[in-house]
């Protein structure tokens, strides 16, 4: 017997079984029907000879792989849409979140006003410029340890200030 005849007999006898298998994993009957149809199309397009004894396992494997592909594509689609629109709040709320960033920056600056000028400069370079202690020390031509110490002082003062206002 040829592949198409074997697949046709299997389709008539086991199509509903395969549909039940796929439906139980998808909770969507129409999508399950599409996947079952794709299973049989893939089977019909297989150039290798198919044996009756292995056809059931092959059909289930193809169905399982198609289900996995569906969930993989769906998860990618969800992640992609979340990246496109990370903030579901729109309109005025977005401007409020920008305002809160400004407020946070103002709080940091008020906290920094309580710190000596050298410590303040080091803290700003670290926070706003993203520089490491070694880069700041090199940039300001100062000792690494003294830069680290001054950054620590500035951090403590800003933390104290932020704790008081919260």
């Amino acid at each position: 017997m040829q592949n198409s005849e074997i697949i046709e007999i299997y389709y008539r006898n086991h199509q509903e079984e395969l549909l039940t298998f796929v439906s139980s994993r998808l909770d969507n009957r129409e999508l399950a029907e599409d996947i079952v149809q794709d299973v049989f199309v893939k089977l019909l397009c297989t150039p290798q000879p198919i044996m009756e004894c292995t056809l059931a396992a092959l059909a289930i494997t193809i169905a399982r792989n198609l289900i996995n592909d569906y969930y993989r594509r769906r998860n990618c689609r969800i992640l992609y849409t979340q990246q496109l629109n990370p903030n579901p709040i729109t309109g005025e709320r977005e401007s409020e979140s920008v305002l809160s960033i400004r407020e946070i920056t103002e709080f940091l600056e008020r906290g920094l006003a309580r710190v000596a000028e050298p410590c303040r400069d080091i803290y700003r370079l670290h926070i706003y410029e993203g520089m490491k202690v070694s880069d700041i020390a090199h940039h300001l031509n100062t000792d690494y340890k003294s830069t680290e110490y001054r950054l620590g002082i500035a951090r403590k003062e800003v933390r104290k200030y932020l704790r008081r206002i919260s």
Side-chain angles (χ1 to χ4, degrees):
M1 253 195 296
Q2 290 187 347
N3 280 356
S4 59
E5 294 169 351
I6 296 170
I7 294 167
E8 183 181 338
I9 293 168
Y10 181 80
Y11 179 80
R12 279 196 226 124
N13 296 333
H14 301 283
Q15 184 259 348
E16 198 59 39
E17 263 178 54
L18 194 58
L19 185 59
T20 304
F21 170 78
V22 174
S23 295
S24 70
R25 283 154 177 76
L26 292 176
D27 295 331
N28 184 337
R29 180 79 176 183
E30 293 164 353
L31 181 61
E33 289 172 355
D34 289 344
I35 287 181
V36 169
Q37 181 180 356
D38 289 345
V39 167
F40 286 105
V41 168
K42 283 187 180 290
L43 286 171
L44 287 169
C45 294
T46 303
Q48 292 87 9
I50 296 175
M51 301 179 69
E52 289 180 58
C53 60
T54 60
L55 183 57
L58 181 60
I60 293 291
T61 301
I62 293 172
R64 191 177 54 231
N65 289 341
L66 290 173
I67 292 167
N68 289 340
D69 290 345
Y70 164 75
Y71 281 119
R72 197 174 301 121
R73 280 192 308 272
R74 189 185 81 177
N75 289 341
C76 286
R77 197 176 315 121
I78 289 169
L79 287 173
Y80 181 72
T81 56
Q82 287 174 349
Q83 288 174 351
L84 286 178
N85 190 12
N87 186 5
I89 302 169
T90 57
E92 293 179 16
R93 295 270 174 129
E94 286 181 6
S95 63
E96 288 176 9
S97 66
V98 170
L99 182 61
S100 68
I101 291 170
R102 286 186 190 142
E103 288 175 349
I104 290 170
T105 305
E106 288 174 11
F107 288 140
L108 281 175
E109 287 299 321
R110 284 188 209 138
L112 278 175
R114 301 166 180 263
V115 179
E117 186 67 33
C119 297
R120 195 178 317 150
D121 293 339
I122 291 170
Y123 187 84
R124 283 187 182 127
L125 288 172
H126 180 68
I127 295 297
Y128 297 132
E129 302 296 324
M131 295 174 76
K132 297 178 182 176
V133 176
S134 57
D135 297 334
I136 296 169
H138 180 53
H139 179 73
L140 297 176
N141 293 326
T142 58
D143 183 34
Y144 177 88
K145 278 295 185 185
S146 65
T147 304
E148 187 177 45
Y149 176 74
R150 289 178 179 157
L151 179 60
I153 291 172
R155 283 179 175 163
K156 286 177 189 173
E157 284 299 317
V158 170
R159 260 188 255 134
K160 256 197 271 184
Y161 176 75
L162 291 176
R163 273 191 211 119
R164 272 189 259 145
I165 64 170
S166 62

